[in-house]
Structures are given as C-alpha cells and as structure tokens.
Amino acid sequence: MVRVTTLPTPPQLPGWRHTYSGKVRDLYVPESGDERFLLVVASNRISAFDHVLDPEIPGKGALLTTLSRWWFDRIDMPNHLADDHPEAPEVPASVADRAMLTRRLEMYPVECVVRGALTGSGFAEYSSTGAVCGIELPGGITDGDQLDAPIYTPAYKAPLGEHDENITFERSAELVGSVVAEQLRAASLEIFTRARDLAAAHGVILADTKFEFGRDPSTGELVLADEVLTSDSSRYWDAAAYLDASLPRAERLASFDKQIVRDWLAANWDRQGTPPTLPEEIVARTYDRYAELLQRLTAADPA
Ligand code: PZK
C-alpha cells in the first residue's frame, strides 16, 4: 500500500528555496537561480517502521553530517561537496552544522546497495529465492551471516512513499546504460570494501550500505553524492556483540542507531495509526547511540 505522508514545513533559509523533503532530509536550491548548487540539510527527524516520529532527536542531523564528511575525506573518489567552490552561495549559519553545500548533479535513478552480510530485504529475498538481485548464493545462509565477498544489489529509486525495489544488475544497465552500470558497481564495491575494513579496525561491522551517484553536467565526471556511510544509509553492528554466540540473534544484530526506538515502539505500539510520542529517555539514549558510533569510528586507530 502506498501511503502519502504529510511532513512538517521545513524552515525557510535565507538565500535558499525549499524544493523537496525526504523523511529525514530537506533539499534547497539557491534563490539566485544558480543551478550549479544544492543545499542538502540533514534534519533531526527520525523515522522507524515507515513513520517520521515525534519528537526529533536534537543533534542527530549534525552528527550524521559530521559522519558523512568524515567518510568523504577517506574515500578516494570525487564527491559532491562544494564548500571550496569560489562561487558557491553562502550556507545559512542556522543550519551550518547539518548542511552540505553540494554541486547539483544529474542523479542516476539507482540505489547502489552493497551487502557484506545478509539481513533485512536481502535476507528475505534470499530466503524465498536463493538469490539476491539475481546473484545466486550458497544454501544455508542464516539472517546476519557475513558473505564470503560483498555483493552489489542495486535497487530502483521509488518515488516518495514507495519502497525501493531490488533489481538485477541487467535491469540497472537498462536504466542507466551498461557502461555506467558497471562504473556504479565497481565504485560501490571498492568504497564498501575500504569502509568495511576501516570500520572493522574500530570494532564495528559494516553490514550493508547504500550509495547514490550522479554525473557533473559541466565536467561529465562520475560523482559520489548523498550522505555516505551514515547510520541512516547503512547498517552497522557492534563487532563484539556480533561475535558473542551466547547472545540472542536480535542482540547480536542490534543496529547501531535506531534499535532503541524500534524496540520501544515494538513494545508500546500496535503499528496501527500514528506512533506514540517518544519519551525523553528514549530520545536521549538514541542520541547517545548515534554519538557512540561516530566516536568509535573516529577514535584514534586502536593499537
Ligand atoms: C539529490 N537527493 C536525495 C532526498 C534530500 C536529499 N548533489 C546532488 N545533485 C542533485 N541531486 C541530489 C544531490 C545530492 N545529494 C539528492 N535527491 C536529489 C534527497 C530528499 C531530501 F535532502
């Protein structure tokens, strides 16, 4: 079922015109009409079970933006950040810590998902077909198992309110052309592998993630866009918990961010109608969990 979600009006920003909102982010274009730039603002909204929840998680947008920037710095590929562009419009001070000033790209309508472990929609598809996005996998995989090698499992970007649809590599080639499809796959697997190894060195398992790419209309360059490797676009697990065979599976695979919210909602809501307001304690613990991921990843390299 497709549900049309009402979102609160995002703040007006001087010099910028709001054009689009996702569940947790807002997109603005320059009031000047300069089509080379965009402002991507990470809100403090949090979503779970397909609902945007009340209240917000203060500090979440800044935290995820810091994490995205940290990863961009460590990924050896052109990205959409335009902070250093000499003609870039000014970023409003009110959102400076959770905004990314970006080059405006021609986006590809493919979500570039990479999975190093099988869970969620990937595990569901494997369970019913033995394959994910056309990639045949060995039998006997259970929820959360790490794969021998990461797999590229693209999805078609559905309009707001609909779920993305897993597609085969061949279908992605029909959507963007075979040359670009191969570029997206190669770049996604390379970035994932680098990030997975870096996370592992910090006691964190990167189970899966989603990248989005676009093309710079002025240079023709393939560019990494969107937020990258945040806990909203990725599943991170605590390695110590994952490896603790005495723990129940749900605890080994507790996501690094929203698990607290999901567990609270599961216990306090029948998933009918509007979800209940999150208690302050849940808000605070959720923020702490996001902060812990950032701290772990960005801590000085363990000896
Ligand atoms: C772009 N989104 C996702 C959805 C948001 C963001 N550099 C870019 N150039 C052109 N388009 C985009 C980007 C980026 N990043 C990103 N949609 C378009 C999105 C909803 C709210 F803030």
Side-chain angles (χ1 to χ4, degrees):
M1 206 232 321
V2 175
R3 194 180 270 109
V4 177
T5 321
T6 3
L7 293 159
T9 331
Q12 314 219 120
L13 298 176
W16 296 85
R17 183 171 61 79
H18 173 251
T19 60
Y20 186 70
S21 284
K23 282 208 181 83
V24 298
R25 289 178 306 159
D26 306 309
L27 209 56
Y28 296 79
V29 295
E31 228 151 43
S32 67
D34 189 335
E35 294 187 349
R36 294 173 299 172
F37 302 103
L38 277 181
L39 196 66
V40 179
V41 180
S43 74
N44 292 327
R45 299 191 291 275
I46 187 168
S47 70
F49 302 125
D50 272 345
H51 288 260
V52 176
L53 305 173
D54 186 61
E56 297 189 338
I57 311 289
K60 171 181 182 271
L63 220 143
L64 293 189
T65 301
T66 301
L67 190 54
S68 255
R69 289 184 185 281
W70 186 84
W71 279 116
F72 275 132
D73 280 346
R74 281 156 186 80
I75 295 170
D76 183 23
M77 176 179 184
N79 66 60
H80 66 161
L81 296 180
D83 313 81
D84 297 333
H85 193 290
E87 291 160 55
E90 238 183 282
V91 175
S94 63
V95 294
D97 61 349
R98 52 190 180 87
M100 292 191 296
L101 175 65
T102 75
R103 307 188 237 177
R104 186 169 183 171
L105 308 171
E106 287 160 8
M107 299 296 290
Y108 292 113
V110 172
E111 308 249 312
C112 301
V113 177
V114 182
R115 302 172 192 272
L118 212 52
T119 190
S121 70
F123 181 72
E125 190 177 331
Y126 165 77
S127 296
S128 53
T129 71
V132 187
C133 297
I135 301 170
E136 300 272 355
L137 294 167
I141 297 174
T142 63
D143 191 7
D145 280 0
Q146 286 183 286
L147 300 167
D148 292 333
I151 56 172
Y152 177 67
T153 59
Y156 176 68
K157 269 198 232 179
L160 189 62
E162 293 174 48
H163 278 284
D164 295 339
E165 169 197 350
N166 280 358
I167 57 176
T168 61
F169 177 76
E170 290 69 31
R171 177 73 191 125
S172 81
E174 288 171 10
L175 289 165
V176 302
S178 60
V179 170
V180 169
E182 306 234 10
Q183 288 174 336
L184 298 182
R185 177 173 61 185
S188 298
L189 287 168
E190 192 173 316
I191 299 166
F192 178 89
T193 300
R194 156 105 176 116
R196 175 203 63 190
D197 293 349
L198 212 149
H202 292 257
V204 176
I205 295 173
L206 176 60
D208 54 41
T209 195
K210 177 208 79 179
F211 301 113
E212 293 192 32
F213 296 89
R215 185 78 54 183
D216 186 321
S218 68
T219 64
E221 182 176 56
L222 181 69
V223 179
L224 178 59
D226 208 49
E227 58 178 340
V228 283
L229 295 157
T230 68
S231 29
D232 277 1
S233 67
S234 318
R235 258 194 203 92
Y236 288 100
W237 295 327
D238 176 67
Y242 181 86
L243 295 169
D244 186 342
S246 75
L247 290 178
R249 187 196 313 272
E251 280 175 50
R252 296 181 43 230
L253 307 185
S255 90
F256 226 104
D257 48 3
K258 294 182 196 169
Q259 200 62 46
I260 295 157
V261 166
R262 291 204 193 99
D263 291 350
W264 186 84
L265 280 177
N268 292 281
W269 181 45
D270 60 6
R271 302 223 203 160
Q272 309 284 311
T274 312
T277 302
L278 303 174
E280 279 314 310
E281 194 224 341
I282 296 298
V283 172
R285 285 175 51 208
T286 299
Y287 175 81
D288 290 347
R289 192 75 174 146
Y290 277 96
E292 190 189 339
L293 175 67
L294 177 67
Q295 247 152 35
R296 283 251 210 131
L297 289 174
T298 63
D301 278 314

